[in-house]
Amino acid sequence: MIIGVGIDVAEIERFGAALARTPGMAERLFLESELLLRSGERRGVASLAARFAAKEALAKALGAPGGLRWTDAEVYVEGSGQPRVRVRGTVAARAAELGVRAWHVSLSHDAGVASAVVIAEG
């Protein structure tokens, strides 16, 4: 059963500018594992914008309650290349309240826009 669906978009250039002008913003939004590629290099702005959109979409799928911590949702990619989300803390508590047992995530970025769709399944 689908419990919630969320979708969000982020303008890549605008998101990059916000990261550049706000010291520490990336660390408030993302876990270190999200900031780095497997090679250890820093992830590009388009990829980070897609992950930000995924976190916004996830919150919408949960009904957009207040009090969720950005770093309580982790967007990662499996070896196959499929994006996934791992939740803990405030996000896991809200998901448990609603009966969420599985997450489905899709990320994209093209033409200056990053987007994400998240489906919460019970």
Side-chain angles (χ1 to χ4, degrees), residues 14-108:
R14 182 176 176 202
F15 184 76
L19 289 176
R21 78 172 169 270
T22 311
M25 181 178 171
E27 288 73 21
R28 285 193 303 273
L29 295 175
F30 304 107
L31 296 168
E32 187 170 336
S33 59
E34 295 173 299
L35 293 170
L36 302 174
L37 297 168
R38 286 191 185 121
S39 66
E41 293 178 62
R42 189 157 173 102
R43 191 174 295 282
V45 174
S47 181
L48 289 176
R51 280 156 175 72
F52 176 73
K55 291 179 183 218
E56 287 277 0
L58 185 146
K60 291 173 183 177
L62 293 176
L68 298 181
R69 293 188 61 221
W70 293 105
T71 54
D72 282 348
E74 177 186 7
V75 180
Y76 68 98
V77 178
E78 291 188 334
S80 65
Q82 183 175 10
R84 295 281 187 194
V85 67
R86 186 177 296 130
V87 299
R88 62 183 62 80
T90 59
V91 177
R94 176 62 176 166
E97 279 177 30
L98 298 174
V100 177
R101 292 192 318 241
W103 299 98
H104 305 277
V105 183
S106 182
L107 308 175
S108 186

Side-chain angles (χ1 to χ4, degrees), residues 1-6 61-62 98-104 117-122:
M1 174 176 75
I2 293 178
I3 291 173
V5 177
L62 293 176
L98 298 174
V100 177
R101 292 192 318 241
W103 299 98
H104 305 277
V117 174
V118 174
I119 297 170
E121 181 182 354

